[in-house]
C-alpha cells in the first residue's frame, strides 16, 4: 500500500506541473480591439425537444448586440414538444436577429442527429448569407448581449480559425455541485487548454456549446461531413479543423458570459450525460477501459484510502504519503470550485466524485456491449466506423 501511495503522489506531482497546468482557470477569451469591419455571422442552433430551456436561451441569441450582420438558423431535429413553434413565437416576442426555423427530417444512416441538424443549418447559411463565420451554439446555451461581439473580436481578422468557450454549466442542486465542476476539471485534465491553444501542438478540443468557426476553415475541414458519426462531436470538430494545415489555429477556454441553462437536478440525468459518451472517449477499446479504471483508482482513490489506513493503523509514512497526495489533489480542484462559486469543502470530496465517474465509465461500456451505448433523446448510436 505504501508503494502504491508513493506512485499516486508522484502521479499528482506530474499532474500538478507537467499536464499543461490544466487545473488553472485563467484561460479566458483574449481581449482585442474592434475590427475595422465586422464580418457577417451565421448562428446555427441544433435543437431536439428543447422547449424546456429555449425560453431562457434563444432570446439571448436573438438579442445579441452585434454591430455586423448576423442571422440565426435553428434546426429542429425531429422534436415532439413543439420546439420549432416555440422558437418562432420567441422570435415574434423578442425580435432582434432574423430567425429561420428548419426541419430536415430524420438523419440519414451514418449521421448523429445533432450533426445532421448542423449540416442542414450550415447549408442554409451558405445558401442565404455571405457569412464569414459560423457560430455553432447549443439550444441550452444562454449568451450575454456582447457574447458574439467578444467572440468575433478574438477571431477576426487574424485570430484563431476556431474559438470555443466552455460554457459555465448550471450548478444549483446537490448533485450538480458534486459532479458538474468535476466534469469540467476532468475535461481540462484530458485536454489541457494551454496545450490546445499552443500553435503546432497535437492536442485538439472544443466545447460544443459555443464554437465560432471561420467559414473557410469549416470548408477545408469538410465540417460536418468529416465527423458525421462522432458522438463526441466537439472534440472531433476541433481535430478535423486542426488537421487541415500547420497554420491552422484553435482556441479553447472557460467562459465568463456564456452559460448552460439545462438543469440536472438528479443524479440520473448527470449519469446519462456522462455515460452516453464516456466509452466513446476511450474509442470503445476494452484495454483502454481497464487502464482508465486502474488509473482512476490509483490516482484518485488510493490517496484517501492510504491516508485513512495510515491514521487508523498508526503507520505514519502511509498517512503522510497518502495525505500529501490527497492534499495536492484537493488543491488542484480548488480553482475550479472558485470558478463555479462553490464551497471549497467540496475539494476533499473529489475522490468520491471520481468514484462516480469511474462507475459511469464502466456503465457506459456495459451499455455499449448491450447495444444501448451513446443513447440520447430517444436515439442510440453505434460505434463509428472508419471514414471512407
Amino acid at each position: 500500500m505504501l508503494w502504491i501511495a508513493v506512485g499516486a503522489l508522484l502521479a499528482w506531482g506530474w499532474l500538478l506541473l507537467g499536464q499543461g497546468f490544466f487545473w488553472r482557470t485563467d484561460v479566458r477569451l483574449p481581449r482585442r480591439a474592434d475590427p475595422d469591419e465586422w464580418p457577417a455571422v451565421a448562428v446555427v442552433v441544433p435543437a431536439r425537444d428543447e422547449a424546456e430551456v429555449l425560453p431562457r436561451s434563444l432570446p439571448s441569441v436573438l438579442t445579441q448586440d452585434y454591430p455586423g450582420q448576423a442571422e440565426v438558423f435553428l434546426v429542429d431535429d425531429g422534436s415532439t414538444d413543439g420546439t420549432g413553434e416555440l422558437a418562432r413565437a420567441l422570435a415574434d416576442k423578442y425580435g432582434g436577429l432574423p430567425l429561420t426555423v428548419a426541419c430536415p427530417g430524420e438523419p440519414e444512416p451514418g449521421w448523429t442527429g445533432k450533426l445532421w441538424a448542423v449540416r442542414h443549418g450550415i447549408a442554409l447559411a451558405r445558401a442565404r448569407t455571405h457569412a464569414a463565420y459560423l457560430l455553432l451554439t447549443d439550444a441550452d446555451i444562454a449568451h450575454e448581449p456582447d457574447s458574439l461581439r467578444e467572440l468575433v473580436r478574438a477571431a477576426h481578422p487574424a485570430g484563431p480559425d476556431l474559438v470555443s468557450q466552455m460554457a459555465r454549466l448550471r450548478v444549483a442542486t446537490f448533485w450538480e455541485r458534486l459532479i458538474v465542476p468535476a466534469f469540467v476539471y476532468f475535461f481540462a485534465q484530458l485536454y489541457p487548454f494551454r496545450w490546445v491553444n499552443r500553435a503546432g501542438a497535437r492536442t485538439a478540443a472544443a466545447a460544443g456549446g459555443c464554437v465560432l468557426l471561420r467559414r473557410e476553415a469549416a470548408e477545408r475541414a469538410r465540417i460536418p461531413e468529416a465527423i458525421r458519426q462522432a458522438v463526441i462531436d466537439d472534440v472531433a470538430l476541433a481535430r478535423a479543423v486542426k488537421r487541415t494545415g500547420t497554420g491552422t489555429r484553435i482556441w479553447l477556454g472557460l467562459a465568463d458570459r456564456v452559460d448552460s441553462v439545462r438543469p440536472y437536478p438528479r443524479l440520473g440525468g448527470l449519469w446519462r450525460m456522462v455515460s452516453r459518451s464516456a466509452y466513446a472517449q476511450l474509442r470503445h477499446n476494452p484495454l483502454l477501459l481497464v487502464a482508465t479504471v486502474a488509473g482512476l483508482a490509483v490516482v484518485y482513490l488510493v490517496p484517501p484510502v492510504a491516508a485513512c489506513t495510515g491514521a487508523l493503523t498508526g503507520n505514519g509514512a502511509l498517512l503522510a504519503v497518502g495525505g500529501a497526495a490527497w492534499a495536492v489533489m484537493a488543491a488542484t480542484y480548488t480553482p475550479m470550485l472558485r470558478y463555479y462559486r462553490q464551497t471549497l469543502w467540496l475539494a476533499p470530496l473529489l475522490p468520491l466524485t471520481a468514484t462516480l465517474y469511474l462507475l459511469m465509465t464502466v456503465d457506459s461500456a456495459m451499455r455499449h456491449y448491450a447495444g444501448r451505448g451513446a443513447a440520447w433523446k430517444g436515439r442510440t448510436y453505434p460505434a463509428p466506423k472508419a471514414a471512407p
Side-chain angles (χ1 to χ4, degrees):
M1 174 65 78
L2 178 59
W3 286 111
I4 297 174
V6 169
L9 180 58
L10 292 174
W12 276 108
W14 164 254
L15 290 171
L16 178 67
L17 301 175
Q19 189 67 9
F21 295 101
F22 77 94
W23 45 271
R24 294 179 57 172
T25 56
D26 56 349
V27 181
R28 307 296 177 88
L29 201 65
R31 301 292 181 180
R32 293 194 172 97
D34 289 352
D36 295 334
E37 183 177 352
W38 292 92
V41 180
V43 183
V44 177
V45 185
R48 178 174 171 83
D49 292 334
E50 300 287 10
E52 178 185 6
V53 298
L54 217 57
R56 289 172 285 166
S57 60
L58 186 59
S60 74
V61 176
L62 296 172
T63 57
Q64 282 296 297
D65 178 20
Y66 183 64
Q69 180 184 357
E71 189 168 344
V72 181
F73 298 89
L74 185 140
V75 185
D76 184 355
D77 177 24
S79 298
T80 58
D81 65 350
T83 289
E85 294 80 1
L86 176 58
R88 295 185 182 93
L90 291 169
D92 291 339
K93 179 179 179 180
Y94 290 95
L97 302 181
L99 173 70
T100 298
V101 177
C103 302
E106 284 296 302
E108 291 180 357
W111 285 82
T112 64
K114 178 181 176 179
L115 290 173
W116 178 251
V118 168
R119 178 199 189 203
H120 196 74
I122 291 177
L124 284 174
R126 287 171 176 164
R128 301 188 185 183
T129 74
H130 298 286
Y133 289 88
L134 302 166
L135 174 60
L136 310 180
T137 185
D138 288 347
D140 65 323
I141 301 298
H143 296 256
E144 292 294 326
D146 61 349
S147 173
L148 180 56
R149 182 196 295 256
E150 294 297 327
L151 285 164
V152 172
R153 273 197 187 117
H156 190 75
D161 296 278
L162 181 153
V163 175
S164 180
Q165 290 184 287
M166 176 72 73
R168 199 188 305 258
L169 307 178
R170 196 189 92 134
V171 177
T173 68
F174 167 78
W175 290 112
E176 289 170 338
R177 292 188 180 97
L178 185 65
I179 291 176
V180 166
F183 177 83
V184 182
Y185 172 89
F186 291 139
F187 183 90
Q189 190 177 91
L190 282 173
Y191 307 103
F193 295 167
R194 283 174 171 78
W195 289 0
V196 171
N197 301 343
R198 186 188 304 160
R202 297 180 59 184
T203 306
C210 179
V211 177
L212 184 74
L213 179 60
R214 202 181 301 269
R215 179 173 174 174
E216 294 174 353
E219 291 171 353
R220 287 198 308 268
R222 296 175 51 246
I223 300 299
E225 286 79 6
I227 59 170
R228 60 187 178 274
Q229 301 179 78
V231 175
I232 310 175
D233 52 84
D234 43 12
V235 174
L237 169 64
R239 287 174 176 166
V241 171
K242 205 162 192 178
R243 281 197 301 263
T244 58
T246 55
T248 303
R249 290 184 295 148
I250 65 176
W251 185 93
L252 171 63
L254 294 173
D256 289 313
R257 303 171 69 74
V258 179
D259 300 278
S260 172
V261 298
R262 188 180 305 283
Y264 289 102
R266 297 179 180 86
L267 177 60
L270 288 160
W271 192 288
R272 286 188 294 273
M273 179 190 74
V274 175
S275 65
R276 73 185 178 98
S277 60
Y279 197 41
Q281 184 70 63
L282 301 177
R283 301 195 292 272
H284 303 97
N285 187 321
L287 295 179
L288 281 178
L289 174 67
V290 172
T292 298
V293 169
L296 284 172
V298 170
V299 173
Y300 287 97
L301 307 188
V302 165
V305 170
C308 294
T309 301
L312 292 173
T313 61
N315 188 328
L318 191 59
L319 171 60
V321 173
W326 195 359
V328 174
M329 180 198 315
T332 64
Y333 193 37
T334 297
M336 190 61 69
L337 291 173
R338 286 202 180 101
Y339 171 73
Y340 272 96
R341 307 182 186 97
Q342 297 301 304
T343 174
L344 300 186
W345 287 108
L346 288 171
L349 297 182
L350 186 56
L352 171 61
T353 307
T355 301
L356 291 174
Y357 274 89
L358 187 155
L359 295 174
M360 292 173 192
T361 302
V362 172
D363 180 57
S364 179
M366 293 174 64
R367 288 174 178 271
H368 168 76
Y369 290 114
R372 296 180 286 113
W376 192 247
K377 293 192 175 182
R379 292 191 179 120
T380 299
Y381 302 109
K385 300 177 182 178

